[in-house]
Amino acid sequence: MKKFLLLITVALFTFSAFAGDPVGRNYKFDKAFQRALASSDSLKGDELLISMSGKFNEFIKMYARDWRTYYWKAYSELKASEAVMDDAKKMHLDSATIYLDRAEYLTENNSECQILRAFVLFERIRMNPEQNKAKYGKDLEYYKNYAYRSNQSNPRYLLLEGMIALNDTVGKPEKVSLAKKYFLGASYLYENMEESKYFADPFWGKERNDLYMSVYGVSNGSGSFDDQLLEELDGDIEDKQESPADREAAMKKKDKENAELAKNVKEVEEDIEKLDEELKDEKEGKKKKKEKKPKKKKKKKK
């Protein structure tokens, strides 16, 4: 049986927002987040989450060790970026990246943080495909694949794959069919996963996936799947995944680049400190010379 069939079965019995133990969560935040969502009578879904951007700032101060406070702030910035263009869009995406950095500092191998970072990178590419695909394309693939390896039952991975397929349909009509399969797979995972006991765990994406399903006339009927469809989807996922060796090489390359960058930064800092010392010594030397220089006595007039 294909691996994707296995992960579908697993999703029926368990829900894990990210790989590993549930560390970095504060139950008080779950309660506060639930009350905040319930307090709105008019806004729902993404609109409500975007409107809570200021509230997320408060949550960050109150629950600074809970990775989900930074995660939701990053998500609200991503959603806000979708409504604007150019510099304003870049500003929101930059902000989302910063908050994701903070979230990932508090939790490791987190599929939710990784896939949200992939969504941010995808949005950067959509700003200017010709220029930004070369700049962010490899990072998008890296974090997207990393998210899948961390948690293969995350429906947001399948949602993003569907969106990526739709974004690449020029001259490739088969991509529309592929996107539909991904949305169908995501729908199945959304419908069958158990609700997390942690209210503030990531839960977004179903609303968007349902919209795509509706627009493209996709229906999963009774909720059952066609085995051939799953095999095709599984095969496409496998083609996109890096081998363990490739992934390890990519991680080593990133570590080397980061080490080189840190070395260069340190050298620049040392040069600046050295220059500061030289300027300080030069300034003190001039001051001492000025102090030692005897004053000329004025000649008295006869």
Side-chain angles (χ1 to χ4, degrees):
M1 185 176 288
K2 286 285 186 176
K3 182 168 59 176
F4 189 73
L5 288 169
L6 177 61
L7 76 88
I8 289 288
T9 304
V10 171
L12 293 174
F13 298 100
T14 182
F15 170 69
S16 173
F18 65 97
D21 295 327
V23 294
R25 290 183 174 107
N26 187 324
Y27 187 64
K28 291 181 179 179
F29 173 52
D30 290 280
K31 289 293 185 183
F33 188 43
Q34 188 174 17
R35 287 194 299 269
L37 288 179
S39 65
S40 175
D41 295 326
S42 57
L43 297 177
K44 302 293 180 183
D46 287 340
E47 288 184 353
L48 174 56
L49 291 169
I50 295 172
S51 72
M52 287 177 60
S53 181
K55 191 68 177 177
F56 289 138
N57 291 336
E58 294 179 24
F59 287 149
I60 286 171
K61 292 178 182 178
M62 295 170 66
Y63 311 104
R65 302 299 298 172
D66 193 318
W67 64 271
R68 297 170 303 171
T69 60
Y70 304 102
Y71 174 93
W72 281 113
K73 178 65 178 179
Y75 177 74
S76 70
E77 291 292 335
L78 169 64
K79 297 306 296 182
S81 76
E82 294 175 359
V84 292
M85 298 292 289
D86 302 327
D87 289 345
K89 188 181 197 72
K90 183 178 181 300
M91 180 187 70
H92 283 297
L93 293 175
D94 288 346
S95 181
T97 301
I98 291 170
Y99 284 109
L100 272 174
D101 288 341
R102 296 177 184 177
E104 289 192 316
Y105 178 77
L106 297 172
T107 177
E108 295 182 357
N109 297 326
N110 189 315
S111 174
E112 296 294 0
C113 289
Q114 292 153 2
I115 199 63
L116 182 55
R117 191 180 291 276
F119 269 92
V120 170
L121 289 165
F122 177 60
E123 199 62 30
R124 288 189 188 277
I125 291 173
R126 291 178 67 186
M127 283 180 64
N128 188 338
E130 290 185 6
Q131 179 180 334
N132 289 346
K133 190 170 184 179
K135 187 175 182 181
Y136 299 113
K138 288 184 178 179
D139 285 340
L140 168 60
E141 291 301 312
Y142 175 82
Y143 284 106
K144 176 169 62 69
N145 294 343
Y146 197 176
Y148 178 77
R149 292 175 185 273
S150 297
N151 180 10
Q152 294 177 13
S153 62
N154 189 336
R156 281 165 279 282
Y157 168 82
L158 298 184
L159 168 60
L160 179 58
E161 285 287 20
M163 292 169 62
I164 291 172
L166 281 183
N167 204 52
D168 189 29
T169 57
V170 178
K172 303 174 184 176
E174 70 278 4
K175 290 284 187 175
V176 176
S177 176
L178 179 61
K180 291 179 181 180
K181 293 175 185 178
Y182 273 115
F183 297 141
L184 185 58
S187 176
Y188 191 75
L189 288 181
Y190 277 122
E191 292 294 339
N192 290 286
M193 62 169 45
E194 291 183 0
E195 186 176 349
S196 172
K197 64 179 180 179
Y198 299 98
F199 187 87
D201 277 6
F203 53 78
W204 58 275
K206 186 178 183 303
E207 181 183 87
R208 187 167 196 166
N209 195 73
D210 288 347
L211 178 61
Y212 281 122
M213 297 267 286
S214 175
V215 169
Y216 289 94
V218 183
S219 173
N220 60 0
S222 63
S224 62
F225 272 108
D226 178 80
D227 287 352
Q228 184 179 349
L229 182 150
L230 287 178
E231 289 183 5
E232 291 172 2
L233 193 57
D234 188 55
D236 189 68
I237 292 173
E238 284 296 320
D239 290 342
K240 291 170 180 168
Q241 293 296 306
E242 294 175 316
S243 69
D246 290 340
R247 182 184 170 196
E248 186 178 353
M251 291 178 74
K252 285 183 178 179
K253 183 180 178 182
K254 274 187 173 293
D255 289 341
K256 185 177 179 181
E257 289 174 351
N258 289 336
E260 189 65 29
L261 178 62
K263 181 183 176 182
N264 292 339
V265 170
K266 188 176 180 181
E267 288 176 353
V268 171
E269 289 175 344
E270 289 175 351
D271 288 342
I272 291 173
E273 287 179 4
K274 185 178 178 182
L275 181 60
D276 285 343
E277 287 296 324
E278 290 176 356
L279 291 173
K280 185 179 178 183
D281 291 343
E282 185 180 344
K283 190 175 181 181
E284 288 180 353
K286 286 181 179 180
K287 186 177 179 182
K288 286 179 180 178
K289 268 187 176 183
K290 192 175 181 181
E291 289 174 351
K292 288 180 180 180
K293 192 175 181 180
K295 292 182 180 180
K296 289 183 180 180
K297 292 182 179 181
K298 291 183 179 179
K299 293 182 179 180
K300 292 182 180 180
K301 291 182 180 180
K302 291 183 180 180

